[in-house]
DNA sequence: CGCCTGTTTGACGACAGTCAAATTAGGTGG
DNA sequence: CCACCTAATTTGACTGTCGTCAAACAGGCG
């Protein structure tokens, strides 16, 4: 279903200007991708690991009948490209123009620093995956959407944007496939949240303001 | 909600006889636990990592209102006890009498071999978590149950039991909390599978035979 | 034997999915 | 700049799967 033919995909698409600190001094090679580009597809030879430097990517799997589940959304600092076999089990696609740093498996085996760094990152990603499984298994549609909004808000805070605006760097379909819902349910839920002033629609369809984080947190049923 | 008081829990309960190869030569300390015992609880000081040597454990989180989600089921060879903060975010409980090997964080930092070994394990666990998120987000009740049965069957195969019998080392409630369903739905689904001869009830309520793995795989909608 | 826990089955309801149509946004070319 | 086209989003009506509530049943142990 996902052949290695896909490797041909666009490893140097048109790219907005971006600058990064200390990028030349780091190991690995940089990979700049436009919006909605694949870094790799399920079935590709899993010879590389990636660190997201800027932007965001999603990892997803697709069932034979077309159902899709986004299993991870990875922001700067996060790792993707892990595989237990010798091919990737998931596809990796950018949500926005992104820069990835790619490391050969052999390169990693040789570097202690790299392995340690990756190990640390994986711990926090595992924890986030656990959170997300709670969402998928036990939360209502509204709670899932609120949980995602809070997560995105947190990411922006960390990135140094202290505003209460939250950018949704995903289409409704992508959100739905991440939250285990349909796009219609995501729409309805966002509308409902807006009607009840838990969020306020921004200028853009992919931007919201959160007037009261505490109230949103309650609606998300977050213990975290 | 989950205080460290719980540390008092039963770290030396009655134990059936078990023997392990080369256990004395390995680092870390052994922890023998009876059925339904906690190795740690959410909120406990996260100073240790565990490897399951025999038996099986589940990791779960509980929401304030009591909803529970089992986020991982870990079989021999698997790792648990990872934490991104300084306390565990999940609870770890045995599904059956089990032996864990526990390592101090400091012990791991000092050992390359240990870190490498753990890293490898984590890759396959991440992959299984991805699989499970597909179940939770996109599969029907029946597909989830079939997927779990297949997974358990695989585990038994690896453990060297080439029979077609599958032991369910979990109560219906635990299965439900793992699959994001209710125990009633799990019951009904198992009954339905049995009626349609996709599984055959064993002597024990917690044992099934799988007459035709291929048919079960189709019912599980597995691409893997 | 009786109690307790776990499992099974049934009746009913609700939350989210499906199907469909309307509306909006974004991008392209004249 | 505007018209047009396509993709994305929103909303509505209806359906179905699974959850809820409840009761019966089975098994293990004192």
């Amino acid at each position: 279903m996902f052949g290695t033919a896909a490797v041909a995909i666009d490893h140097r698409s048109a790219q907005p200007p971006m600058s990064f600190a200390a990028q030349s001094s780091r190991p690995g090679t940089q990979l700049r991708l436009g919006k909605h580009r694949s870094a790799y597809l399920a079935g590709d030879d899993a010879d590389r690991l990636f660190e997201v430097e800027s932007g965001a990517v999603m990892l997803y799997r697709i069932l034979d009948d077309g159902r899709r589940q986004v299993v991870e959304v990875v922001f700067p600092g996060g790792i993707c490209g892990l595989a237990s076999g010798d091919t990737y089990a998931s596809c990796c696609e950018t949500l926005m123009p992104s820069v990835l740093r790619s490391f050969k498996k052999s390169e990693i085996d040789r570097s202690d620093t790299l392995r340690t760094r990756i190990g640390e990152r994986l711990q926090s990603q595992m924890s986030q995956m656990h959170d997300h499984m709670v969402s998928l298994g036990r939360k209502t549609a509204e709670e899932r959407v609120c949980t995602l909004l809070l997560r995105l808000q947190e990411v922006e805070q960390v990135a140094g944007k202290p505003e209460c605006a939250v950018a949704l760097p995903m289409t409704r379909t992508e959100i739905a496939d991440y939250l285990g819902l349909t796009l219609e349910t995501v729409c309805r839920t966002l509308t409902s949240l807006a009607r009840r002033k838990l969020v306020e629609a921004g200028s853009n369809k992919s931007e919201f303001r959160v007037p009261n984080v505490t109230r949103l947190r309650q609606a998300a049923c977050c213990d975290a």
Side-chain angles (χ1 to χ4, degrees), chain A:
Chain A
M1 191 168 188
F2 305 106
T4 30
V7 165
I9 278 188
D10 184 16
H11 280 189
R12 70 195 61 215
S13 56
Q15 204 62 24
M18 285 188 183
S19 66
F20 302 95
Q23 62 191 35
S24 57
S25 69
R26 300 188 52 207
T29 62
Q30 221 182 43
L31 181 60
R32 292 165 171 273
L33 295 174
K35 193 176 179 179
H36 289 145
R37 297 291 159 185
S38 297
Y40 56 82
L41 296 183
D44 283 1
D45 203 35
D47 52 353
R48 294 188 156 276
L49 213 71
F50 300 85
E51 180 181 354
V52 178
E53 285 195 352
S54 71
V57 305
M58 62 175 174
L59 308 184
Y60 63 86
R61 300 196 179 182
I62 294 185
L63 297 177
D64 295 335
D65 59 3
R67 282 175 286 180
R68 181 174 78 157
Q69 177 66 42
V70 173
V71 294
E72 269 189 89
V73 174
V74 185
F75 291 101
I79 305 291
C80 56
L82 294 159
S84 55
D86 52 358
T87 58
Y88 297 118
S90 313
C91 306
C92 175
E93 190 178 310
T94 55
L95 294 172
M96 57 175 92
S98 304
V99 180
L100 309 189
R101 185 163 287 275
S102 107
F103 304 98
K104 281 207 185 91
K105 286 267 158 92
S106 58
E107 204 171 350
I108 294 159
D109 289 342
R110 272 184 275 107
S111 165
D112 268 3
T113 358
L114 219 48
R115 276 212 310 276
T116 307
R117 177 189 178 72
I118 290 168
E120 279 165 15
R121 279 301 175 178
L122 286 190
Q123 297 215 5
S124 88
Q125 276 174 254
M126 297 253 307
S127 176
Q128 270 167 2
M129 285 168 62
H130 286 173
D131 280 338
H132 193 231
M133 283 196 268
V134 174
S135 280
L136 292 176
R138 288 300 178 213
K139 289 193 183 178
T140 65
E142 180 168 307
E143 287 165 345
R144 295 183 206 189
V145 171
C146 292
T147 304
L148 175 60
L149 287 170
L150 285 168
R151 162 104 185 277
L152 292 171
Q153 206 227 11
E154 233 168 68
V155 170
E156 299 206 356
Q157 299 270 325
V158 171
K161 298 181 183 177
E163 315 169 24
C164 59
V166 176
L168 282 181
M170 325 163 69
T171 67
R172 300 290 187 263
T173 303
E174 285 161 356
I175 295 173
D177 286 346
Y178 182 53
L179 299 181
L181 302 169
T182 59
L183 81 165
E184 293 96 330
T185 300
V186 171
C187 272
R188 275 187 258 269
T189 306
L190 283 170
T191 308
S192 160
L193 288 174
R195 201 170 30 234
R196 291 181 291 139
K197 307 288 184 198
L198 278 160
V199 302
E200 285 165 20
S203 55
N204 199 325
K205 295 252 179 198
S206 65
E207 198 170 305
F208 288 89
R209 270 182 295 282
V210 179
N212 187 335
V213 181
T214 311
R215 234 156 58 92
L216 193 63
R217 220 183 294 272
Q218 284 169 351
C221 191
C222 275
D223 35 359

